Amino acid sequence: MLPRTRDDYDNAKTSKIRLTFTKRYLRVTWFRGLVFVALSCILLFTIYIRWDNNFTPDTSEKQFDDTFERPVETLVQTQFHPPIYTPAHTPTSAPTHTTTYTETHTSVVHDTINWKERQNAVREAFKHAWGGYVRDAWGCDEYHPISHRGSNLTGIGIGFTIVDSLDTLLIMDLKEEFQHARDWVSNSLNFEQNGSVNVFETTIRVLGGLLSAYHLAGNDTLFLSKAIDLGDRLLGAFSSSSGIPYASVNLSSKQGIPAHFVGGASSTSEATTLQLEFKYLSHLTGNEKYWKKAEEVMFKIDSLQKLDGLVPIYLDPHSGNFVGSTITLGARGDSYYEYLLKQYLQTSRTEPIYLRMYDQSMDGVKSRLVNYSSPSKLLYIGELLNDDFNPKMDHLVCFMGGNFALGVTHGKTVREINHFNFKELEDLRIGKELTKTCTEMYFRTATGLAPEIVYFTGSSDSEKDISIKRFDSHNLLRPETVESLFIMWRLTGDVQYREWGWKIFEAFEKHTKFEGGGYTSLEDVTSTSPGRRDKMETFWLAETLKYFYLLFGPNDQIPLDKYVFNTEAHPLPIFIPRRKVRGQGWNRQ
Ligand code: DMJ
């Protein structure tokens, strides 16, 4: 008989029986241990997955003050109340289309165009633009080519043009020019200035530019140390009672400064287009403070009432509520929607909350804002003004063509994915059609360049789809259409996008190149004598020319499944967040 209890063991007469007991004891203990370890693993894995999908909010750190009341006259409206239910506008009949994804290649096989040569033409254009700036305005924030001078946004300037251009210089392999710019950053860039800057513009252009340059230059710590210095100063903007950043910040005192209009409200797109940059800064430094501040804004917005995921374009930094009811994917609304998707992609799809927010907002776009013009049935995205549909579209909205497609493939090509559900096919179609509409905004003007704003006509007897008001007919060298052409080309492989891009590039060359150096904005694209404006926006170097260059270049340069472009076209690598520096996330209410 084998021993079963301690007493049996103690009473055992022979060492053989004792040995048998010991073996049995070890076997049982080993088996129990194994079961314990397995159960622990399952438990830990379950906790991790739940935590990963829906993080628990750290309420101890959040300071929301919804009770704060602002003087009535300073705000248009302190709280946005979406209508209980208003039926979506009735779109002008959509064109019939198939539900399967079809590629409309002009045919890559028969494509005999020398794209390398065209890419080089873009590089030459960049050199022309850069050369004028270097000669006339070196070190200044902005460049005025006609008067051959530069100007600063504050004090001695904060590197708007130079820092915004660093990664384009690297991507175009302009080594000498890059070294010149790097030396300036090393010797002259100084953020210790008693002046205020716009938080959003400084984040997307300067912080984004430094972070992208850090990565593309092979982890050059000069750029990271400058980014940390700037990031710490920008954090001061988040000192409002709601956590919504003020529009501006004083670089020296780090004091947040409310906007001078709409009762001090911040633009929704501005408050929600800092997250890619702040999160990447946390990832690089191991310091979670940037991530947490940026994430808190998204948590706050997620808790507010929306109209099918659509948001008004102002936020009160004191109460944290929306102000007014204007809804647009143009000025002051645009990149809110862009960064919902890109935040999801940036952290390797580990934060599904952003995809849910993005999907909801796109449902709202499709049900309330997408419409078709007459007679050509061009798809466009209109606006809501006090719940009324307005057939107006800013050029800024043109980023949405590429964004819709990116939301379907997440940076893979349509060939790689191959299978799409109905919703995905619909989003791809909208992306394609909107991109086409945006090219029509170029091709239907006297200069072949798009105006800042267009209106679409909807009545069955209208003769033209697009009308342009004189006040809206300028062109600032904006990138959004080229951005969508680049993304659509990469994702679909349809050479049509490259051809449209080349046509647009030629129009820019013809009308905006300034022989005296640089490129200029235009007064009126509807005239064959469009008139010049004395300004070359920094996004011409940072975005428009970069997207042209990548559109005509090989597909493996900055692949879309490895990078997210910030809203100023600075590529930031996609990463897996480390536990230590990721945000807290939140549970939806
Ligand atoms: C850029 O500064 C950014 O793309 C921003 O998101 C919108 N406006 C300009 C370019 O048009």
Side-chain angles (χ1 to χ4, degrees):
M1 195 169 127
L2 292 174
R4 290 188 179 279
T5 64
R6 182 81 209 172
D7 285 345
D8 288 348
Y9 181 86
D10 290 334
N11 296 333
K13 300 227 166 25
T14 69
S15 57
K16 196 175 169 196
I17 295 174
R18 287 188 174 188
L19 183 63
T20 308
F21 171 77
T22 307
K23 278 186 186 165
R24 183 190 177 99
Y25 177 77
L26 286 176
R27 258 202 317 273
V28 169
T29 310
W30 180 85
F31 180 71
R32 280 182 185 153
L34 194 69
V35 169
F36 177 77
V37 168
L39 286 174
S40 303
C41 285
I42 291 169
L43 187 68
L44 285 172
F45 185 66
T46 312
I47 290 170
Y48 174 76
I49 292 293
R50 283 182 62 82
W51 166 79
D52 211 27
N53 286 344
N54 218 344
F55 310 131
T56 315
D58 180 1
T59 42
S60 62
E61 293 247 344
K62 301 193 189 304
Q63 315 158 24
F64 300 125
D65 182 7
D66 286 332
T67 56
F68 184 91
E69 279 195 14
R70 311 213 63 209
V72 176
E73 67 279 10
T74 57
L75 290 182
V76 173
Q77 189 181 319
T78 50
Q79 173 85 53
F80 169 64
H81 296 289
I84 309 288
Y85 174 71
T86 48
H89 69 283
T90 317
T92 317
S93 59
T96 47
H97 37 256
T98 60
T99 51
T100 50
Y101 181 79
T102 50
E103 293 180 44
T104 55
H105 285 199
T106 307
S107 178
V108 181
V109 181
H110 302 300
D111 180 12
T112 53
I113 293 160
N114 186 341
W115 292 106
K116 179 82 201 140
E117 211 170 83
R118 292 186 170 183
Q119 192 190 37
N120 204 41
V122 178
R123 194 167 179 268
E124 289 304 312
F126 183 93
K127 283 164 78 175
H128 181 80
W130 183 253
Y133 168 77
V134 172
R135 185 195 62 205
D136 297 337
W138 183 244
C140 292
D141 285 333
E142 301 200 296
Y143 179 31
H144 309 279
I146 300 174
S147 53
H148 297 292
R149 67 186 175 90
S151 62
N152 287 326
L153 297 161
T154 185
I156 57 171
I158 52 168
F160 250 49
T161 297
I162 295 179
V163 178
D164 219 6
S165 304
L166 287 168
D167 57 8
T168 314
L169 291 166
L170 286 163
I171 287 169
M172 293 187 178
D173 198 25
L174 292 163
K175 291 193 176 64
E176 271 178 38
E177 291 85 345
F178 174 74
Q179 192 54 47
H180 188 201
R182 187 192 181 282
D183 289 346
W184 184 86
V185 171
S186 174
N187 302 324
S188 307
L189 182 58
N190 183 359
F191 296 121
E192 180 49 45
Q193 299 181 48
N194 184 19
S196 71
V197 294
N198 177 284
V199 175
F200 159 77
E201 298 290 1
T202 308
T203 299
I204 66 167
R205 299 188 202 212
V206 188
L207 185 58
L210 288 167
L211 291 171
S212 190
Y214 164 77
H215 172 78
L216 293 180
N219 298 355
D220 184 337
T221 51
L222 165 70
F223 300 121
L224 183 56
S225 62
K226 293 286 180 188
I228 294 168
D229 181 19
L230 179 59
D232 287 343
R233 294 167 195 274
L234 292 170
L235 277 182
F238 294 82
S239 57
S240 70
S241 44
S242 69
I244 300 292
Y246 291 111
S248 301
V249 69
N250 182 298
L251 284 173
S252 180
S253 68
K254 302 178 186 166
Q255 193 75 39
I257 302 164
H260 302 299
F261 49 86
V262 198
S266 303
S267 299
T268 303
S269 67
E270 296 195 355
T272 56
T273 310
L274 316 163
Q275 283 66 21
L276 294 184
E277 297 81 358
F278 277 64
K279 286 175 164 187
Y280 187 46
L281 187 55
S282 273
H283 178 71
L284 291 178
T285 58
N287 191 333
E288 65 181 0
K289 65 182 174 180
Y290 313 103
W291 192 310
K292 279 187 143 185
K293 288 292 175 196
E295 182 184 83
E296 204 167 284
V297 179
M298 302 311 298
F299 169 60
K300 179 73 207 169
I301 294 211
D302 191 39
S303 72
L304 298 178
Q305 252 195 314
K306 305 178 194 68
L307 183 63
D308 293 345
L310 303 174
V311 293
I313 57 174
Y314 289 107
L315 279 162
D316 178 3
H318 295 284
S319 67
N321 290 324
F322 289 124
V323 179
S325 59
T326 300
I327 287 175
T328 173
L329 270 69
R332 303 188 189 281
D334 49 1
S335 44
Y336 164 72
Y337 305 95
E338 179 186 355
Y339 271 33
L340 287 182
L341 175 63
K342 289 185 174 174
Q343 283 187 82
Y344 173 63
L345 299 180
Q346 180 188 34
T347 54
S348 308
R349 292 175 271 170
T350 56
E351 298 173 289
I353 183 75
Y354 296 110
L355 184 63
R356 289 199 284 274
M357 291 174 80
Y358 173 74
D359 281 342
Q360 281 170 357
S361 65
M362 288 307 107
D363 286 347
V365 169
K366 285 182 269 188
S367 66
R368 294 182 180 271
L369 303 181
V370 166
N371 208 340
Y372 299 86
S373 68
S374 284
S376 311
K377 306 249 176 276
L378 298 176
L379 181 147
Y380 69 96
I381 297 178
E383 302 184 347
L384 290 181
L385 287 180
N386 301 320
D387 302 331
D388 289 335
F389 182 77
N390 184 15
K392 162 180 177 271
M393 189 167 92
D394 295 353
H395 185 274
L396 289 167
V397 180
C398 288
F399 81 95
M400 271 306 301
N403 216 67
F404 258 112
L406 193 62
V408 174
T409 74
H410 298 167
K412 296 264 181 243
T413 65
V414 292
R415 277 174 196 225
E416 281 170 318
I417 293 185
N418 210 16
H419 279 74
F420 298 100
N421 61 31
F422 183 80
K423 177 194 162 294
E424 291 165 340
L425 285 170
E426 180 74 348
D427 285 7
L428 278 174
R429 177 186 69 80
I430 292 173
K432 288 172 73 173
E433 289 195 29
L434 182 63
T435 306
K436 179 171 176 11
T437 301
C438 288
T439 61
E440 292 296 324
M441 287 164 60
Y442 285 72
F443 301 154
R444 295 186 184 204
T445 68
T447 52
L449 292 171
E452 180 72 358
I453 297 169
V454 296
Y455 289 81
F456 290 88
T457 49
S459 64
S460 51
D461 57 349
S462 46
E463 285 177 1
K464 52 182 188 157
D465 299 82
I466 296 173
S467 69
I468 302 165
K469 296 184 179 171
R470 172 62 193 91
F471 193 66
D472 303 328
S473 64
H474 50 289
N475 179 297
L476 303 180
L477 309 167
R478 284 199 190 278
E480 291 76 18
T481 298
V482 192
E483 174 182 348
S484 280
L485 291 172
F486 158 67
I487 293 172
M488 295 306 290
W489 155 251
R490 281 286 180 91
L491 301 185
T492 68
D494 188 342
V495 76
Q496 179 74 81
Y497 297 112
R498 279 181 144 184
E499 286 167 354
W500 284 337
W502 179 249
K503 212 170 150 187
I504 292 172
F505 177 73
E506 285 187 310
F508 274 121
E509 281 290 279
K510 183 172 176 196
H511 295 287
T512 68
K513 186 172 188 172
F514 186 59
E515 285 313 320
Y519 286 72
T520 68
S521 304
L522 297 179
E523 278 295 344
D524 179 10
V525 295
T526 65
S527 164
T528 45
S529 314
R532 290 185 185 276
R533 283 189 181 183
D534 189 15
K535 180 114 177 247
M536 182 175 90
E537 297 281 352
T538 75
F539 48 70
W540 173 246
L541 300 168
E543 296 194 72
T544 317
L545 287 175
K546 184 188 289 155
Y547 283 132
F548 273 131
Y549 186 82
L550 292 172
L551 171 64
F552 303 143
N555 289 352
D556 57 0
Q557 192 170 19
I558 319 283
L560 288 175
D561 58 350
K562 303 230 165 15
Y563 288 88
V564 282
F565 284 82
N566 88 337
T567 195
E568 186 74 3
H570 296 304
L572 304 174
I574 288 171
F575 61 85
I576 296 173
R578 284 176 284 151
R579 171 69 194 99
K580 196 170 144 255
V581 288
R582 68 192 312 174
Q584 297 296 310
W586 64 88
N587 287 315
R588 297 193 96 174
Q589 292 159 2

